[in-house]
């Protein structure tokens, strides 16, 4: 497609386990129209794509010149071929030609990629990465993901799986991870690991208001830490330290200008980022350290949608 034909707008699609976020986005990243439809993954990708197509046809009156679409979802997605191998949220969607299915339904060129890659691309162009060329975005939640931009391009690797920061190993023979291996970043700093850490300290007899709080959650631990609860603060110090070890490895490999931290747990902010920054100071060579900033991501839960749309722009021009 020639660049001069790209004067219209693009569709961003962020497929979650429950809902699909949709947005019609201008070429420079302004969301012109947004909406949501239920995912109902059990109906299969063709039916889900048709639901997106119906939404798009309704909205198209406001922006008739939609020229491409970007589709993001969690899981192992080969972004080069637009092929979904497996998604933890979309049961039964194994080995699905995601870009092809959406392209046929929407009659548009479609790029598909992992939602964290999409979020990283969104943050790179419109959020915490603006002005950089070498940028990394990490998402912290139940899972831990990563998206890497080198010299302005998303790094996908030979089959699309690059950036799986959550499954890099930072503790030999460490705790078991969801991927079946041991000692991964995700197994040490994901939401479940944070709750386990708090429980272990409570069982060791450390005093804390969390002892009376019934079911432990990351949010509850963060609230307690903000109120000065020493055990809760220690939970985030230990978690942030481990995050810092993982990030130090990334800094040495990629020499980024900014690493942005997003996802649900990043709401804990400096509780987790300050200890991570301290560890990085101790781990990273001084000259490299001077170049990098560790910040919170800026776009919240619209990062993937915006990134999907903007990746469509850059892919098809
Ligand atoms: Zn793992």
């Amino acid at each position: 497609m020639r660049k001069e034909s790209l004067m219209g707008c693009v569709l961003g699609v962020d497929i979650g386990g429950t809902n699909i976020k949709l947005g019609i986005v201008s070429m420079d990243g302004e969301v012109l129209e947004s909406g949501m439809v239920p995912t109902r993954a059990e109906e299969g990708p063709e039916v889900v794509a048709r639901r997106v197509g119906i939404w798009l046809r309704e909205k198209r009156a406001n922006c008739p010149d939609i020229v491409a679409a970007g589709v993001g979802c969690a899981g192992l997605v080969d972004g080069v071929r637009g092929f979904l191998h497996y998604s933890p949220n979309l049961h039964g969607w194994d080995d699905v030609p995601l870009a092809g299915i959406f392209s046929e339904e929407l009659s548009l060129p479609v790029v598909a990629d992992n939602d964290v890659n999409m979020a990283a691309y969104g943050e790179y162009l419109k959020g915490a990465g603006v002005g950089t060329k070498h940028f990394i975005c990490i998402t912290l939640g139940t899972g831990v993901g990563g998206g890497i931009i080198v010299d302005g391009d998303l790094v996908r690797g030979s089959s699309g799986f690059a950036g799986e920061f959550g499954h890099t190993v930072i503790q030999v023979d460490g705790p078991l991870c969801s991927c079946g291996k041991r000692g991964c970043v995700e197994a040490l700093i994901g939401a479940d690991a944070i709750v386990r850490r708090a429980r272990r300290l409570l069982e060791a007899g450390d005093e804390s208001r969390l002892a009376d709080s019934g079911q432990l959650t990351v949010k509850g631990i963060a609230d307690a830490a903000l109120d000065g609860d020493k055990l809760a603060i220690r939970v985030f110090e230990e978690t942030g330290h481990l995050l810092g070890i993982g990030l130090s490895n990334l800094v040495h490999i990629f020499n980024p200008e900014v690493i942005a931290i997003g996802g649900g747990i990043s709401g804990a902010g400096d509780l987790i980022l300050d200890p991570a920054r301290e560890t990085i100071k101790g781990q990273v060579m001084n000259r490299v350290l001077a170049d990098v900033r560790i910040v919170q991501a800026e776009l919240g839960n619209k990062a993937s949608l915006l990134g999907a749309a903007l990746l469509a722009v850059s892919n098809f021009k």
Side-chain angles (χ1 to χ4, degrees):
M1 191 178 293
R2 288 177 308 148
K3 192 170 185 178
E4 54 267 37
S5 69
L6 267 175
M7 290 306 290
C9 30
V10 286
L11 173 68
V13 181
D14 177 18
I15 308 176
T18 309
N19 288 305
I20 302 175
K21 293 195 203 83
L22 296 156
I24 297 172
V25 177
S26 73
M27 291 298 164
D28 56 2
E30 189 190 346
V31 179
L32 305 171
E33 186 97 44
S34 60
M36 196 135 80
V37 296
T39 306
R40 298 206 289 263
E42 68 281 3
E43 294 175 5
E46 287 86 0
V47 177
V48 171
R50 202 163 308 141
R51 198 151 41 240
V52 171
I54 291 167
W55 182 89
L56 181 63
R57 277 191 288 282
E58 278 174 16
K59 305 294 173 187
R60 223 163 182 168
N62 298 337
C63 187
D65 305 328
I66 295 172
V67 294
V71 178
C73 68
L76 289 176
V77 187
D78 180 340
V80 176
R81 294 167 193 82
F83 197 84
L84 171 64
H85 287 270
Y86 157 81
S87 173
N89 297 339
L90 308 171
H91 298 294
W93 291 32
D94 296 331
D95 297 324
V96 168
L98 198 60
I101 290 170
F102 274 80
S103 181
E104 187 156 320
E105 175 60 38
L106 306 176
S107 302
L108 292 171
V110 172
V111 60
D113 212 319
N114 173 281
D115 59 347
V116 182
N117 277 353
M118 294 301 199
Y121 203 68
E123 289 284 347
Y124 166 63
L125 286 176
K126 288 287 159 186
V130 168
T132 67
K133 286 187 84 176
H134 303 274
F135 172 74
I136 295 174
C137 182
I138 301 298
T139 55
L140 304 182
T142 306
V144 175
I148 297 163
I149 312 286
V150 171
D151 224 355
D153 288 323
L154 195 55
V155 175
R156 287 173 158 143
S158 61
S159 48
F161 305 146
E164 288 287 349
F165 172 65
H167 301 289
T168 57
V169 173
I170 54 171
Q171 186 180 321
V172 173
D173 298 328
L176 191 64
C177 182
S178 66
C179 71
K181 313 292 179 198
R182 287 190 174 276
C184 300
V185 168
E186 182 171 302
L188 285 153
I189 69 165
D192 294 346
I194 292 175
V195 168
R196 268 200 315 273
R197 188 162 293 123
R199 196 171 293 133
R200 198 188 62 230
L201 291 173
L202 285 169
E203 283 167 4
D206 290 20
E207 257 179 54
S208 168
R209 78 174 205 195
L210 293 170
D212 312 317
S213 70
Q215 199 177 4
L216 287 170
T217 62
V218 174
K219 169 107 180 35
I221 301 166
D223 288 345
L226 287 169
D227 284 346
D229 187 283
K230 286 199 172 64
L231 180 145
I233 291 170
R234 190 168 154 204
V235 168
F236 281 106
E237 280 174 351
E238 290 184 12
T239 307
H241 168 67
L242 291 162
L243 171 64
I245 300 273
L247 296 183
S248 299
N249 293 334
L250 289 182
V251 170
H252 278 134
I253 298 169
F254 293 104
N255 186 201
E257 295 155 85
V258 170
I259 300 180
I261 311 294
I265 295 172
S266 71
D270 289 339
L271 282 172
I272 191 165
L273 294 190
D274 277 344
R277 291 182 185 112
E278 274 306 306
T279 296
I280 290 168
K281 264 189 215 162
Q283 290 286 325
V284 170
M285 290 182 284
N286 282 343
R287 182 62 197 86
V288 188
L289 185 66
D291 294 335
V292 66
R293 287 184 298 123
I294 313 296
V295 304
Q296 263 188 287
E298 294 177 2
L299 299 179
N301 63 8
K302 68 173 186 180
S304 288
L305 174 74
L306 206 52
L310 292 169
L311 195 64
V313 173
S314 73
N315 242 44
F316 296 107
K317 69 184 179 191

